[in-house]
mmCIF file of all heavy atoms in Angstrom:
data_model
loop_
_atom_site.group_PDB
_atom_site.id
_atom_site.type_symbol
_atom_site.label_atom_id
_atom_site.label_comp_id
_atom_site.label_asym_id
_atom_site.label_seq_id
_atom_site.Cartn_x
_atom_site.Cartn_y
_atom_site.Cartn_z
ATOM 1 N N VAL A 1 33.843 -14.180 51.294
ATOM 2 C CA VAL A 1 33.830 -15.489 51.946
ATOM 3 C C VAL A 1 34.487 -16.485 50.997
ATOM 4 O O VAL A 1 34.570 -16.254 49.786
ATOM 5 C CB VAL A 1 32.364 -15.903 52.274
ATOM 6 C CG1 VAL A 1 31.551 -16.096 51.009
ATOM 7 C CG2 VAL A 1 32.307 -17.137 53.156
ATOM 8 N N SER A 2 34.965 -17.591 51.527
ATOM 9 C CA SER A 2 35.597 -18.582 50.654
ATOM 10 C C SER A 2 34.541 -19.337 49.844
ATOM 11 O O SER A 2 33.439 -19.619 50.320
ATOM 12 C CB SER A 2 36.440 -19.574 51.466
ATOM 13 O OG SER A 2 35.631 -20.542 52.095
ATOM 14 N N LYS A 3 34.915 -19.653 48.623
ATOM 15 C CA LYS A 3 34.017 -20.428 47.757
ATOM 16 C C LYS A 3 33.739 -21.795 48.372
ATOM 17 O O LYS A 3 32.601 -22.283 48.343
ATOM 18 C CB LYS A 3 34.641 -20.573 46.365
ATOM 19 C CG LYS A 3 33.807 -21.373 45.372
ATOM 20 C CD LYS A 3 34.470 -21.417 43.997
ATOM 21 C CE LYS A 3 33.663 -22.251 43.014
ATOM 22 N NZ LYS A 3 34.282 -22.261 41.664
ATOM 23 N N ALA A 4 34.766 -22.410 48.955
ATOM 24 C CA ALA A 4 34.592 -23.733 49.565
ATOM 25 C C ALA A 4 33.561 -23.695 50.684
ATOM 26 O O ALA A 4 32.749 -24.622 50.828
ATOM 27 C CB ALA A 4 35.930 -24.248 50.085
ATOM 28 N N ALA A 5 33.583 -22.625 51.497
ATOM 29 C CA ALA A 5 32.624 -22.514 52.596
ATOM 30 C C ALA A 5 31.199 -22.411 52.068
ATOM 31 O O ALA A 5 30.274 -23.047 52.603
ATOM 32 C CB ALA A 5 32.951 -21.305 53.461
ATOM 33 N N VAL A 6 31.017 -21.613 51.020
ATOM 34 C CA VAL A 6 29.676 -21.461 50.450
ATOM 35 C C VAL A 6 29.177 -22.778 49.859
ATOM 36 O O VAL A 6 28.033 -23.188 50.081
ATOM 37 C CB VAL A 6 29.665 -20.344 49.380
ATOM 38 C CG1 VAL A 6 28.314 -20.296 48.666
ATOM 39 C CG2 VAL A 6 29.972 -18.988 50.013
ATOM 40 N N LEU A 7 30.047 -23.466 49.137
ATOM 41 C CA LEU A 7 29.644 -24.740 48.540
ATOM 42 C C LEU A 7 29.389 -25.801 49.604
ATOM 43 O O LEU A 7 28.546 -26.690 49.419
ATOM 44 C CB LEU A 7 30.710 -25.214 47.555
ATOM 45 C CG LEU A 7 30.888 -24.355 46.294
ATOM 46 C CD1 LEU A 7 32.019 -24.913 45.433
ATOM 47 C CD2 LEU A 7 29.592 -24.289 45.490
ATOM 48 N N SER A 8 30.107 -25.714 50.729
ATOM 49 C CA SER A 8 29.942 -26.729 51.780
ATOM 50 C C SER A 8 28.557 -26.692 52.415
ATOM 51 O O SER A 8 28.101 -27.694 52.980
ATOM 52 C CB SER A 8 31.014 -26.548 52.867
ATOM 53 O OG SER A 8 30.733 -25.416 53.684
ATOM 54 N N VAL A 9 27.879 -25.533 52.351
ATOM 55 C CA VAL A 9 26.520 -25.445 52.895
ATOM 56 C C VAL A 9 25.463 -25.502 51.783
ATOM 57 O O VAL A 9 24.288 -25.239 52.014
ATOM 58 C CB VAL A 9 26.337 -24.164 53.740
ATOM 59 C CG1 VAL A 9 27.281 -24.177 54.929
ATOM 60 C CG2 VAL A 9 26.522 -22.895 52.907
ATOM 61 N N GLY A 10 25.919 -25.841 50.568
ATOM 62 C CA GLY A 10 24.976 -26.005 49.473
ATOM 63 C C GLY A 10 24.664 -24.738 48.690
ATOM 64 O O GLY A 10 23.741 -24.721 47.878
ATOM 65 N N GLY A 11 25.430 -23.665 48.948
ATOM 66 C CA GLY A 11 25.167 -22.410 48.245
ATOM 67 C C GLY A 11 23.870 -21.779 48.713
ATOM 68 O O GLY A 11 23.411 -21.999 49.836
ATOM 69 N N TYR A 12 23.276 -20.994 47.843
ATOM 70 C CA TYR A 12 21.988 -20.368 48.164
ATOM 71 C C TYR A 12 20.882 -21.417 48.107
ATOM 72 O O TYR A 12 20.837 -22.243 47.182
ATOM 73 C CB TYR A 12 21.671 -19.248 47.173
ATOM 74 C CG TYR A 12 22.393 -17.955 47.467
ATOM 75 C CD1 TYR A 12 23.700 -17.750 47.049
ATOM 76 C CD2 TYR A 12 21.773 -16.936 48.193
ATOM 77 C CE1 TYR A 12 24.373 -16.569 47.329
ATOM 78 C CE2 TYR A 12 22.426 -15.754 48.479
ATOM 79 C CZ TYR A 12 23.729 -15.578 48.046
ATOM 80 O OH TYR A 12 24.386 -14.412 48.327
ATOM 81 N N CYS A 13 20.006 -21.391 49.092
ATOM 82 C CA CYS A 13 18.918 -22.369 49.166
ATOM 83 C C CYS A 13 17.882 -22.061 48.086
ATOM 84 O O CYS A 13 17.232 -21.007 48.111
ATOM 85 C CB CYS A 13 18.284 -22.325 50.550
ATOM 86 S SG CYS A 13 16.849 -23.402 50.717
ATOM 87 N N GLU A 14 17.704 -22.988 47.162
ATOM 88 C CA GLU A 14 16.831 -22.739 46.014
ATOM 89 C C GLU A 14 15.347 -22.852 46.339
ATOM 90 O O GLU A 14 14.496 -22.556 45.490
ATOM 91 C CB GLU A 14 17.241 -23.653 44.857
ATOM 92 C CG GLU A 14 18.648 -23.313 44.356
ATOM 93 C CD GLU A 14 19.174 -24.220 43.250
ATOM 94 O OE1 GLU A 14 18.365 -24.991 42.688
ATOM 95 O OE2 GLU A 14 20.392 -24.159 42.959
ATOM 96 N N LEU A 15 15.030 -23.225 47.588
ATOM 97 C CA LEU A 15 13.623 -23.190 48.008
ATOM 98 C C LEU A 15 13.071 -21.765 47.928
ATOM 99 O O LEU A 15 11.865 -21.563 47.724
ATOM 100 C CB LEU A 15 13.476 -23.716 49.434
ATOM 101 C CG LEU A 15 13.764 -25.202 49.664
ATOM 102 C CD1 LEU A 15 13.716 -25.518 51.152
ATOM 103 C CD2 LEU A 15 12.749 -26.063 48.907
ATOM 104 N N TYR A 16 13.957 -20.773 48.077
ATOM 105 C CA TYR A 16 13.522 -19.376 48.059
ATOM 106 C C TYR A 16 13.222 -18.875 46.646
ATOM 107 O O TYR A 16 12.770 -17.742 46.485
ATOM 108 C CB TYR A 16 14.577 -18.482 48.725
ATOM 109 C CG TYR A 16 14.679 -18.699 50.208
ATOM 110 C CD1 TYR A 16 15.527 -19.668 50.728
ATOM 111 C CD2 TYR A 16 13.924 -17.952 51.106
ATOM 112 C CE1 TYR A 16 15.620 -19.889 52.097
ATOM 113 C CE2 TYR A 16 14.011 -18.161 52.475
ATOM 114 C CZ TYR A 16 14.859 -19.134 52.960
ATOM 115 O OH TYR A 16 14.950 -19.343 54.312
ATOM 116 N N ASP A 17 13.448 -19.706 45.635
ATOM 117 C CA ASP A 17 13.086 -19.339 44.265
ATOM 118 C C ASP A 17 11.588 -19.513 44.010
ATOM 119 O O ASP A 17 11.103 -19.156 42.935
ATOM 120 C CB ASP A 17 13.876 -20.179 43.256
ATOM 121 C CG ASP A 17 15.304 -19.671 43.078
ATOM 122 O OD1 ASP A 17 15.555 -18.504 43.427
ATOM 123 O OD2 ASP A 17 16.151 -20.441 42.588
ATOM 124 N N ASP A 18 10.875 -20.057 44.981
ATOM 125 C CA ASP A 18 9.415 -20.155 44.881
ATOM 126 C C ASP A 18 8.864 -18.748 44.610
ATOM 127 O O ASP A 18 9.084 -17.825 45.394
ATOM 128 C CB ASP A 18 8.865 -20.699 46.212
ATOM 129 C CG ASP A 18 7.357 -20.892 46.208
ATOM 130 O OD1 ASP A 18 6.663 -20.202 45.434
ATOM 131 O OD2 ASP A 18 6.873 -21.713 46.998
ATOM 132 N N PRO A 19 8.149 -18.546 43.495
ATOM 133 C CA PRO A 19 7.662 -17.196 43.155
ATOM 134 C C PRO A 19 6.668 -16.614 44.151
ATOM 135 O O PRO A 19 6.398 -15.411 44.113
ATOM 136 C CB PRO A 19 7.024 -17.379 41.779
ATOM 137 C CG PRO A 19 6.728 -18.841 41.671
ATOM 138 C CD PRO A 19 7.804 -19.531 42.449
ATOM 139 N N SER A 20 6.149 -17.448 45.062
ATOM 140 C CA SER A 20 5.244 -16.927 46.082
ATOM 141 C C SER A 20 6.006 -16.343 47.268
ATOM 142 O O SER A 20 5.390 -15.876 48.229
ATOM 143 C CB SER A 20 4.292 -18.024 46.566
ATOM 144 O OG SER A 20 4.992 -19.034 47.279
ATOM 145 N N MET A 21 7.356 -16.365 47.195
ATOM 146 C CA MET A 21 8.188 -15.819 48.263
ATOM 147 C C MET A 21 9.005 -14.652 47.735
ATOM 148 O O MET A 21 9.219 -14.499 46.535
ATOM 149 C CB MET A 21 9.144 -16.876 48.815
ATOM 150 C CG MET A 21 8.486 -18.074 49.441
ATOM 151 S SD MET A 21 9.731 -19.157 50.185
ATOM 152 C CE MET A 21 8.737 -20.635 50.449
ATOM 153 N N TYR A 22 9.481 -13.835 48.671
ATOM 154 C CA TYR A 22 10.409 -12.753 48.318
ATOM 155 C C TYR A 22 11.355 -12.512 49.482
ATOM 156 O O TYR A 22 10.928 -12.344 50.626
ATOM 157 C CB TYR A 22 9.651 -11.459 48.002
ATOM 158 C CG TYR A 22 10.562 -10.286 47.729
ATOM 159 C CD1 TYR A 22 11.261 -10.199 46.538
ATOM 160 C CD2 TYR A 22 10.741 -9.291 48.682
ATOM 161 C CE1 TYR A 22 12.119 -9.143 46.288
ATOM 162 C CE2 TYR A 22 11.603 -8.220 48.440
ATOM 163 C CZ TYR A 22 12.280 -8.151 47.247
ATOM 164 O OH TYR A 22 13.131 -7.102 47.006
ATOM 165 N N GLY A 23 12.669 -12.495 49.181
ATOM 166 C CA GLY A 23 13.653 -12.161 50.195
ATOM 167 C C GLY A 23 14.114 -13.332 51.051
ATOM 168 O O GLY A 23 13.674 -14.472 50.885
ATOM 169 N N PHE A 24 15.042 -13.051 51.930
ATOM 170 C CA PHE A 24 15.599 -13.947 52.955
ATOM 171 C C PHE A 24 16.579 -14.985 52.423
ATOM 172 O O PHE A 24 17.137 -15.747 53.200
ATOM 173 C CB PHE A 24 14.489 -14.635 53.774
ATOM 174 C CG PHE A 24 13.852 -13.718 54.761
ATOM 175 C CD1 PHE A 24 12.705 -13.014 54.425
ATOM 176 C CD2 PHE A 24 14.414 -13.515 56.010
ATOM 177 C CE1 PHE A 24 12.127 -12.122 55.314
ATOM 178 C CE2 PHE A 24 13.845 -12.630 56.904
ATOM 179 C CZ PHE A 24 12.697 -11.931 56.555
ATOM 180 N N GLU A 25 16.819 -15.016 51.109
ATOM 181 C CA GLU A 25 17.809 -15.968 50.611
ATOM 182 C C GLU A 25 19.209 -15.624 51.112
ATOM 183 O O GLU A 25 20.020 -16.520 51.403
ATOM 184 C CB GLU A 25 17.781 -16.034 49.074
ATOM 185 C CG GLU A 25 18.313 -14.813 48.338
ATOM 186 C CD GLU A 25 17.340 -13.639 48.333
ATOM 187 O OE1 GLU A 25 16.130 -13.850 48.569
ATOM 188 O OE2 GLU A 25 17.803 -12.509 48.061
ATOM 189 N N ASP A 26 19.506 -14.320 51.248
ATOM 190 C CA ASP A 26 20.810 -13.912 51.779
ATOM 191 C C ASP A 26 20.930 -14.261 53.262
ATOM 192 O O ASP A 26 21.968 -14.749 53.722
ATOM 193 C CB ASP A 26 21.017 -12.403 51.608
ATOM 194 C CG ASP A 26 21.087 -11.986 50.153
ATOM 195 O OD1 ASP A 26 21.797 -12.651 49.394
ATOM 196 O OD2 ASP A 26 20.429 -11.014 49.782
ATOM 197 N N SER A 27 19.862 -13.988 54.013
ATOM 198 C CA SER A 27 19.862 -14.323 55.440
ATOM 199 C C SER A 27 20.038 -15.819 55.649
ATOM 200 O O SER A 27 20.751 -16.256 56.565
ATOM 201 C CB SER A 27 18.551 -13.854 56.081
ATOM 202 O OG SER A 27 18.405 -12.456 55.982
ATOM 203 N N GLU A 28 19.403 -16.604 54.803
ATOM 204 C CA GLU A 28 19.525 -18.063 54.866
ATOM 205 C C GLU A 28 20.978 -18.491 54.711
ATOM 206 O O GLU A 28 21.496 -19.301 55.496
ATOM 207 C CB GLU A 28 18.674 -18.682 53.765
ATOM 208 C CG GLU A 28 18.905 -20.158 53.513
ATOM 209 C CD GLU A 28 18.249 -21.056 54.537
ATOM 210 O OE1 GLU A 28 17.194 -20.676 55.057
ATOM 211 O OE2 GLU A 28 18.805 -22.130 54.814
ATOM 212 N N LEU A 29 21.668 -17.941 53.705
ATOM 213 C CA LEU A 29 23.063 -18.317 53.473
ATOM 214 C C LEU A 29 23.944 -17.902 54.641
ATOM 215 O O LEU A 29 24.792 -18.674 55.105
ATOM 216 C CB LEU A 29 23.577 -17.679 52.181
ATOM 217 C CG LEU A 29 25.059 -17.937 51.868
ATOM 218 C CD1 LEU A 29 25.318 -19.427 51.676
ATOM 219 C CD2 LEU A 29 25.500 -17.147 50.637
ATOM 220 N N VAL A 30 23.772 -16.690 55.142
ATOM 221 C CA VAL A 30 24.592 -16.213 56.254
ATOM 222 C C VAL A 30 24.400 -17.081 57.489
ATOM 223 O O VAL A 30 25.360 -17.446 58.174
ATOM 224 C CB VAL A 30 24.276 -14.740 56.560
ATOM 225 C CG1 VAL A 30 24.974 -14.296 57.839
ATOM 226 C CG2 VAL A 30 24.713 -13.849 55.403
ATOM 227 N N CYS A 31 23.164 -17.434 57.789
ATOM 228 C CA CYS A 31 22.898 -18.291 58.948
ATOM 229 C C CYS A 31 23.554 -19.660 58.767
ATOM 230 O O CYS A 31 24.144 -20.208 59.707
ATOM 231 C CB CYS A 31 21.392 -18.448 59.150
ATOM 232 S SG CYS A 31 20.736 -17.479 60.516
ATOM 233 N N ALA A 32 23.443 -20.213 57.568
ATOM 234 C CA ALA A 32 24.043 -21.522 57.305
ATOM 235 C C ALA A 32 25.562 -21.465 57.483
ATOM 236 O O ALA A 32 26.166 -22.375 58.066
ATOM 237 C CB ALA A 32 23.687 -21.984 55.902
ATOM 238 N N LEU A 33 26.185 -20.386 57.011
ATOM 239 C CA LEU A 33 27.634 -20.241 57.165
ATOM 240 C C LEU A 33 28.014 -20.079 58.632
ATOM 241 O O LEU A 33 29.004 -20.669 59.105
ATOM 242 C CB LEU A 33 28.122 -19.044 56.356
ATOM 243 C CG LEU A 33 28.082 -19.213 54.830
ATOM 244 C CD1 LEU A 33 28.323 -17.881 54.139
ATOM 245 C CD2 LEU A 33 29.114 -20.242 54.372
ATOM 246 N N PHE A 34 27.246 -19.284 59.366
ATOM 247 C CA PHE A 34 27.510 -19.080 60.788
ATOM 248 C C PHE A 34 27.376 -20.396 61.547
ATOM 249 O O PHE A 34 28.216 -20.733 62.401
ATOM 250 C CB PHE A 34 26.550 -18.039 61.348
ATOM 251 C CG PHE A 34 26.837 -17.623 62.761
ATOM 252 C CD1 PHE A 34 27.833 -16.697 63.037
ATOM 253 C CD2 PHE A 34 26.113 -18.155 63.819
ATOM 254 C CE1 PHE A 34 28.101 -16.309 64.350
ATOM 255 C CE2 PHE A 34 26.378 -17.777 65.131
ATOM 256 C CZ PHE A 34 27.371 -16.851 65.386
ATOM 257 N N GLU A 35 26.345 -21.155 61.235
ATOM 258 C CA GLU A 35 26.120 -22.432 61.913
ATOM 259 C C GLU A 35 27.183 -23.467 61.536
ATOM 260 O O GLU A 35 27.418 -24.420 62.276
ATOM 261 C CB GLU A 35 24.718 -22.948 61.581
ATOM 262 C CG GLU A 35 23.616 -22.106 62.246
ATOM 263 C CD GLU A 35 22.229 -22.356 61.673
ATOM 264 O OE1 GLU A 35 22.095 -23.204 60.763
ATOM 265 O OE2 GLU A 35 21.285 -21.686 62.124
ATOM 266 N N SER A 36 27.845 -23.264 60.388
ATOM 267 C CA SER A 36 28.922 -24.176 59.984
ATOM 268 C C SER A 36 30.235 -23.866 60.688
ATOM 269 O O SER A 36 31.209 -24.607 60.543
ATOM 270 C CB SER A 36 29.119 -24.110 58.468
ATOM 271 O OG SER A 36 29.810 -22.921 58.093
ATOM 272 N N GLY A 37 30.281 -22.746 61.425
ATOM 273 C CA GLY A 37 31.474 -22.407 62.192
ATOM 274 C C GLY A 37 32.148 -21.111 61.795
ATOM 275 O O GLY A 37 33.079 -20.658 62.476
ATOM 276 N N LEU A 38 31.729 -20.487 60.696
ATOM 277 C CA LEU A 38 32.323 -19.215 60.302
ATOM 278 C C LEU A 38 31.886 -18.104 61.244
ATOM 279 O O LEU A 38 30.786 -18.137 61.795
ATOM 280 C CB LEU A 38 31.935 -18.849 58.864
ATOM 281 C CG LEU A 38 32.928 -19.253 57.773
ATOM 282 C CD1 LEU A 38 33.058 -20.767 57.711
ATOM 283 C CD2 LEU A 38 32.517 -18.693 56.425
ATOM 284 N N ARG A 39 32.743 -17.124 61.408
ATOM 285 C CA ARG A 39 32.422 -15.947 62.204
ATOM 286 C C ARG A 39 32.547 -14.723 61.324
ATOM 287 O O ARG A 39 33.094 -14.772 60.235
ATOM 288 C CB ARG A 39 33.329 -15.865 63.431
ATOM 289 C CG ARG A 39 33.050 -16.998 64.421
ATOM 290 C CD ARG A 39 31.607 -16.966 64.920
ATOM 291 N NE ARG A 39 31.253 -18.083 65.780
ATOM 292 C CZ ARG A 39 30.528 -19.116 65.392
ATOM 293 N NH1 ARG A 39 30.116 -19.215 64.134
ATOM 294 N NH2 ARG A 39 30.215 -20.074 66.245
#
């Protein structure tokens, strides 16, 4: 994916760094990119 596209949605959401959570950071990024118009 383009670096610009990833940065435009803020990169990986750091809320998922909460140690009481595990996973879904990748799904979060993909959804954000899809919602921004990428296919």
Side-chain angles (χ1 to χ4, degrees):
V1 65
S2 78
K3 179 177 178 178
V6 173
L7 293 178
S8 74
V9 298
Y12 280 83
C13 176
E14 295 177 12
L15 293 174
Y16 291 88
D17 281 341
D18 182 334
S20 67
M21 298 185 194
Y22 176 74
F24 285 93
E25 71 284 341
D26 295 314
S27 298
E28 168 78 31
L29 177 62
V30 172
C31 256
L33 290 169
F34 187 80
E35 290 165 1
S36 76
L38 265 64
R39 293 300 175 256

